[in-house]
Amino acid sequence: MRMIEAGVPRKALRDLKNRVLYGRDAPLSDECVWIDPREITGIYARGGKTVFRRRHSGTVADGDWDLSWRPIDEAKKIAACNRHFVQGESWEETGIIDEMMARIARAGVFDGCRTREDVHRRYERIDRMYEEIARVRRLEPVISRPERFRREHGGVLVHIDRTGRPMLAGNGNHRLAIARILGLERIPAQIGAIHRQALEAGVMTDLRRPA
């Protein structure tokens, strides 16, 4: 069931098509790429006619979809992490707890949380994650974790724009924020969509380089 929900059969066909069209440098769906988190200044705004999500991982696309973005600091989770870890505010003071509760009220469940207690437990885990990443000075790829599923599926999701620059694609806000705050220079991410111009310019070579 999870294979179907994650779109794995469709992704496998996409991988074959990409290999035929673009050769051995073609991206793989759910592939682990390595990015400098400090280079991410924008978050994909999901505007326009084409909207790329996690299920579109490995898609090579032309067009102006990559021009639909907003500044990274406008993302509420990113801003909350800065206020909490840098400015020392409690999670409640950052407003993220109330924001989560508002989303739960609309949807019934959000980020796996249904109650205020669930939200507090989630942010306690994020505090522990921050402490661990600060201790080891790296963010581990999803493939190294017990809960791994397929390649880097579930990791920080990034789309690659026409210039080869990554943009946050809406998943992995807290991990990205923590990496930026701690000044990490290279972190693993799950590739989302990639603009054809960037692929043809050879950006995959650098994205596949861990350090």
Side-chain angles (χ1 to χ4, degrees), residues 50-91:
T50 304
V51 177
F52 293 117
R53 302 181 185 276
R54 196 183 287 278
R55 66 178 178 272
H56 298 110
S57 177
T59 295
V60 179
D62 265 323
D64 292 336
W65 61 269
D66 61 324
L67 303 181
S68 180
W69 62 277
R70 55 194 174 91
I72 190 72
D73 291 332
E74 290 183 7
K76 292 181 180 179
K77 291 177 181 178
I78 299 285
C81 284
N82 288 331
R83 291 176 63 178
H84 179 70
F85 293 118
V86 178
Q87 300 175 27
E89 295 184 9
S90 69
W91 287 118

Side-chain angles (χ1 to χ4, degrees), residues 178-191:
I178 289 170
R180 286 161 55 90
I181 290 167
L182 293 174
L184 302 188
E185 297 180 358
R186 205 77 168 167
I187 65 169
Q190 177 189 353
I191 194 168

Side-chain angles (χ1 to χ4, degrees), residues 77 99-101 103-105 107-114 119 122:
K77 291 177 181 178
E99 171 66 19
M100 289 281 290
M101 293 308 301
R103 296 196 178 203
I104 291 170
V109 59
F110 185 73
D111 280 354
C113 300
R114 297 180 182 275
V119 175
R122 172 170 170 74

Side-chain angles (χ1 to χ4, degrees), residues 25-28 31-37 39-40 58-60 65 141 152 156-167 185-211:
D25 288 335
L28 289 170
E31 181 173 359
C32 179
V33 294
W34 295 83
I35 62 168
D36 184 340
E39 288 187 353
I40 296 186
T59 295
V60 179
W65 61 269
E152 191 63 14
V156 176
L157 184 65
V158 296
H159 295 327
I160 308 300
D161 73 11
R162 67 191 64 197
T163 71
R165 183 182 293 272
M167 69 174 78
E185 297 180 358
R186 205 77 168 167
I187 65 169
Q190 177 189 353
I191 194 168
I194 178 171
H195 201 283
R196 185 178 61 82
Q197 291 181 27
L199 177 64
E200 293 181 347
V203 71
M204 289 302 301
T205 298
D206 184 63
L207 289 173
R208 287 172 169 148
R209 181 177 56 84

